Amino acid sequence: MPEIGRMKLFLFFSACLLLPVAETAGDASSRRHRLETKHTIIRYTSSKDLKKFSKKIDYTPGEWNLKSLFSPSGSSSPAESAARKVDALYERVQHILEMYGSMKEKVSIHIYPNKKGLHRAYFDITRRSCNVRSWYIYERNTVYVNVEDVNEGMLAHELAHAIIDHYLIVRPPRATAEILARYVDAHLNY
Ligand SMILES: [Zn+2]
């Protein structure tokens, strides 16, 4: 295939990856949306939530990013913006930990609209009441956050758990993983 044609095909498939699709989540009666990025699968309830999420993640990606690929003018949709920030954050965490490589299955990020939704999800999974602001479950390879409360440090911390737990052949003890994850959120901007 000629180089131009191949590039067009690449751009088409890349654009398809960023088109949010609605689906019914298994753990909730409401419809949730799915946005697949380079490293993650983001699930959220409404486009308003995705927009808010993107705003809350205050992280500027490096030189090469999806923004330059899709929006030469500098504007971008909430989906593009969220995908760009999350992938850049993921790669920053990998860099801090020096743990590179891709997972067999991308890490999921479940965004809940408020504390109540997050706590309900926690109870549905653990049958216990929730006393954390966000968390990661290895068995589901999923990060859970509340859009009203999330920030880039918190998301980086949970992504660090996902990366740490999948990088080593044997999962490290919880205390060791927690020390590493805290190191990541403390050094995000150094
Ligand atoms: Zn932690």
Side-chain angles (χ1 to χ4, degrees):
M1 189 183 293
E3 205 52 45
I4 300 285
R6 204 178 290 163
M7 180 56 81
K8 275 186 183 161
L9 203 62
F10 169 74
L11 289 173
F12 172 74
F13 282 117
S14 301
C16 287
L17 279 177
L18 282 177
L19 288 179
V21 290
E23 65 171 23
T24 306
D27 59 351
S29 53
S30 60
R31 281 175 75 79
R32 286 171 66 77
H33 301 273
R34 180 184 189 278
L35 170 67
E36 183 162 356
T37 76
K38 185 178 166 192
H39 298 293
T40 73
I41 294 167
I42 302 172
R43 292 174 198 271
Y44 58 98
T45 307
S46 67
S47 50
K48 203 176 110 199
D49 281 358
L50 188 67
K51 206 171 175 180
K52 207 189 272 185
F53 173 78
S54 179
K55 245 185 181 168
K56 291 285 191 91
I57 304 302
D58 184 15
Y59 188 73
T60 310
E63 260 178 53
W64 188 89
N65 57 52
L66 291 169
K67 187 178 180 178
S68 57
L69 185 64
F70 289 104
S71 310
S73 61
S75 64
S76 61
S77 72
E80 288 166 3
S81 166
R84 191 174 66 243
K85 288 181 175 188
V86 165
D87 284 335
L89 201 58
Y90 185 97
E91 288 172 12
R92 174 70 186 141
V93 175
Q94 284 186 313
H95 183 71
I96 294 171
L97 292 167
E98 292 190 11
M99 292 181 178
Y100 302 101
S102 51
M103 294 182 198
K104 252 192 212 162
E105 281 177 34
K106 293 178 182 181
V107 57
S108 289
I109 300 170
H110 287 200
I111 303 171
Y112 292 89
N114 49 41
K115 197 171 166 180
K116 198 175 154 196
L118 185 79
H119 284 194
R120 195 183 304 127
Y122 189 90
F123 184 79
D124 286 348
I125 296 164
T126 66
R127 293 286 141 196
R128 287 194 302 246
S129 52
C130 180
N131 56 5
V132 288
R133 291 165 68 189
S134 62
W135 74 93
Y136 167 73
I137 296 182
Y138 170 77
E139 289 74 13
R140 297 176 180 221
N141 197 19
T142 302
V143 167
Y144 299 82
V145 295
N146 158 17
V147 76
E148 287 182 349
D149 188 34
V150 72
N151 60 48
E152 61 285 358
M154 197 186 288
L155 185 61
H157 180 104
E158 302 304 345
L159 290 175
H161 276 298
I163 291 168
I164 293 160
D165 280 359
H166 284 84
Y167 183 78
L168 303 170
I169 294 165
V170 178
R171 275 174 75 198
R174 273 170 85 166
T176 311
E178 188 56 28
I179 289 166
L180 289 173
R182 285 187 190 184
Y183 180 87
V184 166
D185 64 64
H187 291 80
L188 200 56
N189 295 311
Y190 289 98

